[in-house]
Amino acid sequence: MNSSTQPTIAIVGAGIMGRCLAWQLCQHSANVHIFEQSSPNNSSAAAYTAAGMLAPLSELESSEPVLFELGQQGIALWQQWLEQWQATHLWGQSNTLVVAHPQDATSLEQFNQSLQQKLQWLNASELTAQLNQAQLNQYEPELASQFNRATLLHGEAWLDNRAVLEHIAQQLSSAGVQWHSNTNIQGVEPYQITYQQQSHAFDYVFDCRGLGAKADISTLRGVRGEVIRVQSQEVTLTHMVRLMHPRYRLYLVPRGSGIFVLGATQIESEDTSPISVRSALELLSALYSIHPSFAEARILETASNCRPALPDNLPAIHQQAGLIRINGLYRHGFLLAPALATMACNIWQGKTNLSGLELVHHGQIKEP
């Protein structure tokens, strides 16, 4: 299919992974085609539902150190790209405050101990600080009236996920990427993809379909997540908040203009139906417990979706001649996609070869 000196690349799947990869490939003079089963602004995509958190420290307590390392790379790349695109208004680097009500104080202690052990191993203990109530009042006065202590996590950030998805699509179109929307892909194989009952050849193929790749990755599963968007003119929180919760990793992300994203449930199910009564009650009760003035907030939207996960909940890059599959980003799509895109681009260029390797703990990504 390549009729010029530029390699012609097919990316199947236009979620956050596919878009980040397309941008990286464009920087290496590739002729990129993106194939997506829906439209570029598909509201059913998992990335469209996400809170857009870039929170490697928050996740480190219960995840592998490799996710922290990739997440740190991801934050640096997001900052670089958004500056390049003159779109720094699409993110906020507000740090995270981890808090707990008295009945969950033990959970906060366990969180702090686990996080500190891992940070010491990574020589990064300076990234957290323990705040008493007076110190918390300096950072976030409206939280200090509800909580007498907090853990401050430096350097974490958030993205306006929907605006970022749209902005990347615009940047890719300006860079000459060809979009093939509403395309039903019947097969993804080395050097070719099949759609409209015909095979089409490429110099290289990348599979970024998420759950759409279940037929080719037998261990892939969906994990349901639900979020709620609210708006309040009475709450002025500026930091991201993680509230210790007995069932969920519960986050509150400020988006400006009084808008907050609250999430997310984590349910082993591939059901994408609307939010359940139980989840709505738990999330809204937690929201009210963070700040009583949320009682008068307006619910703008509830949303649910499924995130693609592998058995160990770690991402995977699988390489073979003419084809790379990237999957299993789980709850960390926006955080990990830039670093994984860079790694996949290096594999394509022959700078790294992961075939047959399992090196998760050394910064590499293992095969599914």
Side-chain angles (χ1 to χ4, degrees):
M1 185 170 180
N2 185 13
S3 59
S4 69
T5 58
Q6 290 184 328
T8 302
I9 307 255
I11 298 176
V12 185
I16 190 60
M17 186 66 249
R19 296 184 195 210
C20 288
L21 176 61
W23 177 253
Q24 286 291 64
L25 290 170
C26 285
Q27 311 314 300
H28 296 280
S29 301
N31 177 18
V32 180
H33 294 248
I34 291 183
F35 294 85
E36 175 58 39
Q37 64 179 358
S38 55
S39 64
N41 295 321
N42 174 25
S43 62
S44 66
Y48 190 86
T49 306
M53 290 186 63
L54 307 178
L57 283 165
S58 299
E59 297 297 325
L60 178 59
E61 170 262 341
S62 58
S63 64
E64 297 287 349
V66 65
L67 294 186
F68 171 78
E69 295 166 353
L70 292 174
Q72 292 289 78
Q73 296 173 34
I75 290 177
L77 284 167
W78 278 121
Q79 189 167 15
Q80 174 188 323
W81 292 350
L82 292 169
E83 289 175 355
Q84 182 178 349
W85 301 335
Q86 298 184 336
T88 54
H89 61 285
L90 298 181
W91 90 322
Q93 194 159 17
S94 61
N95 303 323
T96 300
L97 290 167
V98 186
V99 295
H101 293 295
Q103 65 270 25
D104 297 315
T106 301
S107 295
L108 181 57
E109 287 289 348
Q110 292 173 344
F111 171 89
N112 289 333
Q113 290 174 9
S114 177
L115 181 58
Q116 279 304 312
Q117 288 175 356
K118 292 183 178 180
L119 287 175
Q120 287 173 6
W121 183 75
L122 293 165
N123 295 317
S125 297
E126 74 283 357
L127 295 177
T128 71
Q130 302 301 312
L131 307 181
N132 59 31
Q133 192 166 25
Q135 293 167 324
L136 176 57
N137 188 62
Q138 294 176 356
Y139 280 94
E140 199 69 85
E142 294 184 21
L143 280 183
S145 62
Q146 301 297 315
F147 304 95
N148 59 18
R149 58 182 293 201
T151 301
L152 177 66
L153 308 180
H154 291 285
E156 298 200 326
W158 55 264
L159 293 165
D160 184 337
N161 61 313
R162 297 174 183 178
V164 165
L165 286 168
E166 182 177 349
H167 196 84
I168 297 177
Q170 294 170 356
Q171 293 293 323
L172 293 176
S173 294
S174 297
V177 170
Q178 299 184 51
W179 287 81
H180 303 264
S181 302
N182 302 307
T183 303
N184 182 24
I185 301 295
Q186 284 101 38
V188 178
E189 301 173 89
Y191 302 111
Q192 68 178 22
I193 63 174
T194 302
Y195 61 95
Q196 296 176 347
Q197 308 304 321
Q198 293 184 339
S199 295
H200 301 263
F202 292 87
D203 293 320
Y204 215 96
V205 175
F206 290 86
D207 183 356
C208 302
R209 290 177 292 169
L211 281 177
K214 282 194 71 174
D216 296 304
I217 305 176
S218 60
T219 55
L220 194 63
R221 77 187 195 282
V223 179
R224 176 180 169 90
E226 300 151 314
V227 300
I228 298 178
R229 289 173 179 255
V230 302
Q231 186 170 34
S232 171
Q233 301 305 322
E234 301 177 36
V235 181
T236 59
L237 297 175
T238 58
H239 290 74
M240 293 189 295
V241 179
R242 176 172 178 180
L243 177 67
M244 290 291 104
H245 187 279
R247 276 167 48 82
Y248 310 126
R249 292 183 179 89
L250 199 149
Y251 298 98
L252 180 65
V253 184
R255 286 290 178 79
S257 302
I259 295 175
F260 296 85
V261 180
L262 177 71
T265 59
Q266 186 175 317
I267 302 167
E268 290 291 336
S269 168
E270 295 186 7
D271 177 12
T272 58
S273 62
I275 191 170
S276 70
V277 170
R278 176 180 182 175
S279 294
L281 285 171
E282 289 184 329
L283 290 175
L284 292 173
S285 295
L287 181 66
Y288 176 74
S289 77
I290 292 173
H291 197 308
S293 291
F294 275 121
E296 295 302 319
R298 296 300 182 255
I299 299 174
L300 302 180
E301 175 188 342
T302 64
S304 59
N305 218 313
C306 286
R307 290 76 60 93
L310 292 164
D312 56 7
N313 293 333
L314 291 172
I317 296 179
H318 178 269
Q319 175 198 13
Q320 62 187 107
L323 173 65
I324 290 175
R325 300 188 194 273
I326 312 171
N327 218 311
L329 275 68
Y330 188 37
R331 304 171 54 253
H332 318 294
F334 281 89
L335 179 65
L336 301 182
L340 293 177
T342 301
M343 189 177 293
C345 194
N346 287 338
I347 296 170
W348 165 66
Q349 292 182 299
K351 296 179 181 178
T352 304
N353 188 328
L354 297 182
S355 180
L357 299 181
E358 290 192 356
L359 298 172
V360 171
H361 299 289
H362 298 284
Q364 303 280 6
I365 305 299
K366 72 178 184 180
E367 297 181 70

